[in-house]
Amino acid sequence: MYAASREASARSREALRAALTGSDSAAATTGSELFAVVAVLDDQRSLRVALADVSVPGSVRAELCERVFGGKVSAATLAVLTTAVAQDWSRTSDLVDTLVLLGQEALLESAAQRGRLEAVEDELFRLGRIISDNPELEQALSDRSQQASAKSELVNRLLAGKTEPITLTLAEQVVTRQRSGISAAFDELADLAAARRDQIVAHVRAAIGLSEQQRDRLAASLRRIYGKATTVHIQVDPSLLSGVVVRVGDDVIDGSALGRLEKLRRALT
């Protein structure tokens, strides 16, 4: 995002925090309603452009937003929306992407209020790994020729009754809107949930599964390195031969046999 959109996004997030303060029930409703608004904006280009048109005063855009969505969403959601559209955005897509993020954050806040945030984070990560390991499933969820309703139906068949309701809502929004990189989108959501718990995320590929003791030792080592509590997500990858590869943000620690062989190969060429 350019500077204008970064500032607009920050103010919109402040509006979300204010709207949810003191309410134990608004977060889930606000998250779901923001996703519904995004679906409308995705479908109606003229409205999307009008709400982000910087040649029109922000107050006028906020009034338009209230006319369109007033009475159709809760007061908390409308407060977030009118604040967001009143900001000056560098690009129309930045407004919509921020509304998606606010919807995700509201739903994760709801999970935190219910004491289910860690469970949602784990489910999102596992779902990303399942999709990544199943190219046919990822293709079906990314297929642009498929209607959003068909993708939503598929996700419901896969997850209904097997995950937290909030995980299902987040998953439906990802697959109905995302056109590529579905598994990566779930990784980003898991990272967002971890950040909400004030933790960093280590994505670990291991040649074999790690015991609980090994996971704890790895998490403790990473906490010493990064100075922050660490959530460890593990994916078993036999192609590594032995050892592990750890990714934290842009940092990669390759302690696998395959990585050592690759270093040796490069040294010999």
Side-chain angles (χ1 to χ4, degrees):
M1 285 187 183
Y2 292 108
S5 285
R6 284 199 299 272
E7 183 177 346
S9 180
R11 289 180 179 173
S12 300
R13 294 177 84 175
E14 288 173 6
L16 177 67
R17 285 193 290 271
L20 300 185
T21 298
S23 174
D24 292 334
S25 59
T29 299
T30 297
S32 296
E33 288 179 345
L34 285 171
F35 283 173
V37 169
V38 167
V40 171
L41 297 181
D42 281 343
D43 191 52
Q44 298 187 25
R45 183 180 182 278
S46 58
L47 176 61
R48 186 169 72 243
V49 170
L51 291 176
D53 186 354
V54 294
S55 68
V56 176
S59 58
V60 175
R61 284 179 269 138
E63 288 173 10
L64 171 61
C65 180
E66 193 159 359
R67 287 201 305 273
V68 173
F69 296 109
K72 299 173 184 175
V73 297
S74 66
T77 303
L78 189 61
V80 175
L81 285 174
T82 52
T83 298
V85 301
Q87 309 307 312
D88 288 342
W89 299 88
S90 306
R91 297 179 302 182
T92 302
S93 60
D94 290 342
L95 165 61
V96 180
D97 290 344
T98 294
L99 292 178
V100 171
L101 176 61
L102 297 181
Q104 293 169 344
E105 290 185 344
L107 287 168
L108 292 175
E109 171 63 20
S110 175
Q113 291 170 353
R114 300 173 188 182
R116 304 304 298 163
L117 183 57
E118 188 172 358
V120 169
E121 178 193 334
D122 185 63
E123 288 172 352
L124 290 168
F125 172 76
R126 293 181 184 279
L127 184 54
R129 299 283 59 74
I130 290 169
I131 294 171
S132 177
D133 293 340
N134 190 330
E136 289 184 0
L137 176 59
E138 182 148 24
Q139 174 59 34
L141 295 174
S142 305
D143 189 350
R144 299 187 182 193
S145 67
Q146 289 293 323
Q147 294 290 326
S149 57
K151 296 179 183 180
S152 179
E153 229 177 273
L154 175 56
V155 168
N156 264 280
R157 288 202 304 271
L158 290 171
L159 302 183
K162 301 174 186 175
T163 66
E164 297 287 330
I166 286 171
T167 303
L168 178 57
T169 301
L170 289 166
E172 285 184 299
Q173 201 277 335
V174 167
V175 301
T176 54
R177 191 165 191 271
Q178 196 88 9
R179 295 187 174 182
S180 62
I182 299 288
S183 59
F186 282 108
D187 285 347
E188 290 172 6
L189 273 173
D191 288 358
L192 188 63
R196 176 64 181 72
R197 296 196 297 125
D198 197 29
Q199 301 214 354
I200 60 173
V201 177
H203 295 278
V204 179
R205 288 189 297 137
I208 59 173
L210 301 184
S211 68
E212 189 171 342
Q213 274 188 329
Q214 289 171 319
R215 290 172 66 112
D216 289 346
R217 285 201 300 271
L218 178 58
S221 297
L222 292 169
R223 180 168 188 160
R224 286 194 297 272
I225 293 170
Y226 291 98
K228 203 169 188 179
T230 305
T231 295
V232 176
H233 290 313
I234 297 176
Q235 177 185 9
V236 175
D237 184 356
S239 70
L240 297 177
L241 304 180
S242 67
V244 298
V245 177
V246 181
R247 178 174 61 80
V248 179
D250 293 331
D251 296 345
V252 177
I253 305 167
D254 191 343
S256 68
L258 188 63
R260 291 192 293 273
L261 288 171
E262 176 60 21
K263 287 179 184 176
L264 178 60
R265 184 193 67 77
R266 288 200 301 267
L268 294 172
T269 56

